[in-house]
Amino acid sequence: MAQITAALVKELRETSGAGMMDCKKALNETDGDIQAAQDWLRQKGLASAAKKAGRVAAEGLVAVSTGENSAAVIEVNSETDFVAKNDQFQTYVKNTAGVAIEVADFDALKAAKYPGSEKSCEETLTELVGTIGENMNMRRMEKLSVSNGVVASYIHNATGEGLGKIGVLVALESTGDKDKLNGLGKQIAMHIAATNPLSLDRNSVNPEDVERERTVLIEQAKEAGKPEEIAIKMVEGRMRKFYEENCLLEQAFVIDPDTTVGKAAEALGKELGTDITVTGYVRFELGEGIEKKEDDFAAEVAAAAGA
């Protein structure tokens, strides 16, 4: 029997798009013959993933999973919303989110064993591509943890338990009552889903974003004919508004617009007799940042009719 080297497995994986373990099995089954191994993979429905890998996958699902003192959010993409409603796809996303809470980062998640299988989460998705018939990919994962307190979660436009279009995590560090912390955490997570803040607080705003905003405001004031020293004073007031609109802790709380998110946390802290610190948040919106192809259906039909 031919020796199945790592280089041979790598070559087959690159040409077929199938998972590493599937490629190794195919080569074993075909005595190391690359062409025969490709045919074997096609017969098993595993090589079709390669042909689909170039197609834009901007639909799919965001999923959250929570544990004792941590939570994770993932995004898994598909080409169509139809597949996002597929039971097999939903089960995969939910199970993978459950794995995410047990691992350190995204690379570890891709390599981790899928529940009930010897294959990794990434290999299982490749196999699912061949089964369902369209491109899918694991796009990203984030995880938040606290020493004391809770990591609350919220799913917007839910299509199932823990599955939807927008997923939010928010970490509250505190020794207070966890039920009440979870209640506030979920409200803040809903707020984050609605407002999509730029950062947690002023200190965490990207300095380049601050400088760009300040420069634009100064130029606007100069264009209005204001002297530079007056323009600079005007800009300071406008920058305060910028922070109030974009920093989570300074934003007007959507649950109670008369207070801010930060003040709401302080108020509950006083009620519970302990400090509450919002230490971080994550917001995943399905497909954000993916360039989607806009199809002109009428032109497509006209072209087909002309042909």
Side-chain angles (χ1 to χ4, degrees), residues 214-274:
R214 191 183 298 277
T215 300
V216 168
L217 292 175
I218 288 174
E219 290 305 314
Q220 286 178 346
K222 287 181 179 178
E223 286 292 323
K226 305 293 183 183
E228 185 169 350
E229 62 273 16
I230 300 297
I232 291 173
K233 289 181 180 179
M234 289 175 60
V235 166
E236 292 309 312
R238 292 179 181 178
M239 285 303 298
R240 281 195 296 273
K241 186 176 181 181
F242 169 78
Y243 288 126
E244 289 168 2
E245 290 177 346
N246 291 283
C247 297
L248 173 63
L249 297 181
E250 296 189 36
Q251 287 182 325
F253 197 14
V254 293
I255 307 297
D256 179 6
D258 291 332
T259 191
T260 65
V261 172
K263 294 293 184 184
E266 286 180 21
L268 181 61
K270 288 179 181 178
E271 180 186 322
L272 299 179
T274 184

Side-chain angles (χ1 to χ4, degrees), residues 6-7 41 68 74 106 115 129 147 224 236 261 297 304:
L41 288 168
E68 184 65 27
I74 69 170
F106 186 47
V129 170
S147 299
E236 292 309 312
V261 172
F297 185 66

Side-chain angles (χ1 to χ4, degrees), residues 9-10 66 96 114 125 151 164 170 177 179 188 202 224 236 264 266 270-271 274 276 288 300-301:
V9 174
K10 182 175 182 289
T66 57
T96 303
Y114 182 77
L125 184 60
V151 181
V170 59
D177 179 87
D179 286 339
I188 295 176
R202 295 190 184 199
E236 292 309 312
E266 286 180 21
K270 288 179 181 178
E271 180 186 322
T274 184
I276 298 174
E288 61 188 341
E300 195 175 299
V301 172

Side-chain angles (χ1 to χ4, degrees), residues 61 81-92 128 132:
L61 289 168
D81 185 55
F82 180 77
V83 165
K85 298 172 183 175
N86 178 287
D87 287 341
Q88 284 181 288
F89 182 74
Q90 291 193 357
T91 297
Y92 171 82
L128 197 58
I132 291 179

Side-chain angles (χ1 to χ4, degrees), residues 71 138 169 182 203 213 218 243 264 290:
M138 297 171 65
L169 306 179
N182 262 317
N203 292 332
E213 183 71 15
I218 288 174
Y243 288 126
I290 299 176

